[in-house]
Amino acid sequence: SQYNPLHLLPLPLHPADPKPLPTAVTIDPFSDLLWIGTSSGNVSALCSPLTLTPNVRFPAHGSQPNAFLGGGMTRGVSRIRVTDREVWTLTEGGIGGRRRGGAPKWNVSDPTRGLRSMSPNPTNSHEVLAGGLNGLMVANTFRGDIVRRVGLLLVYAIESL
């Protein structure tokens, strides 16, 4: 057997992805945790840097198959952001916020955007900007709804000015 350092991470298995890979990793700035998002759409918190003991596990919002897009494929976690109270996860199908213990708090779905990145609004702590293949959206993390959508044509027009 060949050595693979990814075997050291105790990642949860998934029926659609029997050998999940880490797709997003972030160190918790508020506690002794390592947050890992997987190719199967799960998020795990591992505690203690020496032992990497599994702590909390939950599915990321938007990671489950979507009948609108043909279903069947599970979406991997592409970004994780940890705040003092929540853990935000991003998949192609949506953004979700959970309490640090794993309880769901808010979520926003937009499977048609093909989301790739997210960033908090620096002037409003209750908003997050997410973008992907089909434009941008601003989501309210307090209410769990989409505040604004921006199509790609407008984004390209602004860049060309």
Side-chain angles (χ1 to χ4, degrees):
S1 170
Q2 192 174 15
Y3 173 74
N4 183 350
L6 296 178
H7 292 177
L8 300 175
L9 298 174
L11 300 177
L13 302 178
H14 190 275
D17 191 6
K19 293 184 179 180
L21 297 172
T23 54
V25 177
T26 190
I27 296 172
D28 193 322
F30 303 99
S31 61
D32 199 15
L33 293 171
L34 175 68
W35 292 90
I36 300 176
T38 67
S39 55
S40 60
N42 289 312
V43 177
S44 298
L46 306 176
C47 52
S48 181
L50 296 176
T51 60
L52 295 177
T53 307
N55 186 348
V56 177
R57 286 187 180 158
F58 54 84
H61 177 72
S63 66
Q64 300 309 311
N66 188 324
F68 177 74
L69 297 176
M73 264 187 73
T74 304
R75 297 180 178 98
V77 178
S78 44
R79 300 280 183 272
I80 298 173
R81 178 168 173 81
V82 180
T83 70
D84 59 338
R85 294 184 180 143
E86 298 178 11
V87 177
W88 299 353
T89 57
L90 175 77
T91 66
E92 284 189 37
I95 312 170
R98 289 184 177 245
R99 287 182 169 69
R100 295 172 65 80
K105 188 169 179 194
W106 61 271
N107 59 65
V108 174
S109 298
D110 197 346
T112 61
R113 298 233 173 239
L115 300 174
R116 297 280 193 254
S117 61
M118 69 175 168
S119 178
N121 183 339
T123 59
N124 183 346
S125 63
H126 290 295
E127 288 184 348
V128 61
L129 174 70
L133 301 175
N134 296 317
L136 305 170
M137 71 174 183
V138 177
N140 183 300
T141 63
F142 186 74
R143 295 188 314 261
D145 61 357
I146 297 174
V147 176
R148 192 173 328 131
R149 289 184 169 96
V150 179
L152 281 181
L153 294 176
L154 180 59
V155 173
Y156 288 137
I158 292 171
E159 283 183 1
S160 64
L161 293 177

